[in-house]
Amino acid sequence: MNTRKIWFVTGASKGLGLTLVNQLLAQGHQVAATSRNLEELSSAVQGATPENFLPLSVDIVSEKSVATAIEATVSRFGGLDVVVNNAGYGLLGSLEELSDAESRTNFDVNVFGTLNVIRQAMPHLRNQQSGHIFNISSIGGFYGNFPGWGIYCATKFAVQGLTESLSAEVKEFGIHATVVSPGYFRTNFLAAGGVVTPQNQLEAYAAVRESERQHQESINGNQPGDPEKGVALIIEAAFDENPPLHLFLGQDAYDMAYVKIDAIKSDLESWKSKTVSTGF
């Protein structure tokens, strides 16, 4: 088994992305890492040398920018093995509060940015008949019962769905796809800049304002997930012969997934006789 791979990681200047890049470099992998801020990325990464690290300034919503970055990666390292679509940001506001522009921008980054990377990486992976694409979603992409997180959850639900289809599409080429659904991990995701709030807030949404307060004042800095352990599991999955399509990270993610599964089962069984009666 090849113990060194060529990785392409987006959103790598902070959070899980940065932790992942640092672990990969410590293990001797070759890593191309992207960020909007090249200086911030380069200063945050540890133990990097030109032989194993390629920092790239990328506008994830620009397909041309992404294409240039993928080509630079292949040119520098001679190939591409693992893609991690980690770039994204949180958006906390009720569906009524958030403007069309605010909502679309979240989709542009969290969903269409991911699709830009997939489109540009796939020809290389398909030609070599191997590879692995990890799309970082969230437990909020599987379980959406979070007031104020509707648009963000919608983007992450989209990532879940497109990864399931991607897995089915690329299987014949020997390529794996995994959607990663973390719970709360102790990163700077909830810090300033990580989560955007509506420009025009409606105070009528008490539950949304309370969610905002809790995430900023109580949850931030007290998340139960250890980023080092979380990204170690992603790396482990990249070397597994039969990696999971769905990789949940954290006890909280595991528990909330089963809350959703049990709720679906309850609805299915409660309405079964009517559900199955709708055929000809």
Side-chain angles (χ1 to χ4, degrees), residues 9-89:
V9 182
T10 68
S13 63
K14 56 186 177 181
L16 287 177
L18 176 59
T19 304
L20 174 61
V21 168
N22 283 329
Q23 272 199 31
L24 291 171
L25 292 173
Q27 294 176 17
H29 298 279
Q30 293 177 305
V31 182
T34 82
S35 175
R36 288 172 298 175
N37 189 324
L38 195 59
E39 183 178 348
E40 180 183 9
L41 172 62
S42 299
S43 62
V45 171
Q46 304 166 1
T49 66
E51 291 74 30
N52 65 0
F53 180 57
L54 177 62
L56 297 163
S57 176
V58 175
D59 177 4
I60 202 73
V61 302
S62 165
E63 191 154 19
K64 181 178 180 180
S65 180
V66 172
T68 299
I70 293 289
E71 291 300 328
T73 301
V74 174
S75 176
R76 168 71 70 86
F77 297 131
L80 179 62
D81 297 312
V82 185
V83 173
V84 181
N85 282 302
N86 175 67
Y89 70 94

Side-chain angles (χ1 to χ4, degrees), residues 181-183 185 225 248-255:
S181 301
F185 275 77
F248 291 89
L249 298 181
Q251 181 71 51
D252 53 349
Y254 179 91
D255 292 342

Side-chain angles (χ1 to χ4, degrees), residues 2 15 36 51 62 89 106 112 116 131 228 252 256:
N2 181 14
R36 288 172 298 175
E51 291 74 30
S62 165
Y89 70 94
N106 203 214
F112 292 103
N116 284 339
E228 296 288 346
D252 53 349
M256 281 186 273

Side-chain angles (χ1 to χ4, degrees), residues 20 63 90 104 108 112 143 148 164 174-175 184 199 212 224 240 279:
L20 174 61
E63 191 154 19
R104 288 179 183 272
D108 282 342
F112 292 103
Y143 176 74
E164 290 183 1
I175 300 168
Y184 287 104
Q199 184 174 355
E212 183 178 337
D240 196 289

Side-chain angles (χ1 to χ4, degrees), residues 120-255:
Q120 296 304 317
M122 271 304 302
H124 298 282
L125 303 181
R126 183 163 42 79
N127 287 339
Q128 70 191 19
Q129 297 286 291
S130 67
H132 199 148
I133 297 174
F134 288 88
N135 294 326
I136 308 300
S137 178
S138 164
I139 186 56
F142 186 81
Y143 176 74
N145 190 19
F146 300 103
W149 293 92
I151 294 298
Y152 175 76
C153 285
T155 68
K156 294 304 186 178
F157 266 74
V159 171
Q160 297 267 349
L162 70 87
T163 306
E164 290 183 1
S165 293
L166 177 67
S167 176
E169 292 169 358
V170 304
K171 186 180 300 183
E172 64 181 292
F173 307 119
I175 300 168
H176 298 293
T178 296
V179 60
V180 182
S181 301
Y184 287 104
F185 275 77
R186 201 167 300 177
T187 69
N188 52 7
F189 176 76
L190 294 177
V195 175
V196 174
T197 54
Q199 184 174 355
N200 297 307
Q201 294 187 347
L202 301 174
E203 292 307 316
Y205 284 95
V208 174
R209 299 286 81 78
E210 177 60 19
S211 176
E212 183 178 337
R213 186 195 66 78
Q214 286 183 357
H215 281 83
Q216 293 175 344
E217 299 177 10
S218 303
I219 298 174
N220 188 30
N222 296 303
Q223 299 96 322
D226 182 344
E228 296 288 346
K229 293 179 180 178
V231 302
L233 195 55
I234 294 174
I235 297 172
E236 180 180 339
F239 284 93
D240 196 289
E241 291 185 1
N242 297 295
L245 169 56
H246 293 275
L247 178 60
F248 291 89
L249 298 181
Q251 181 71 51
D252 53 349
Y254 179 91
D255 292 342

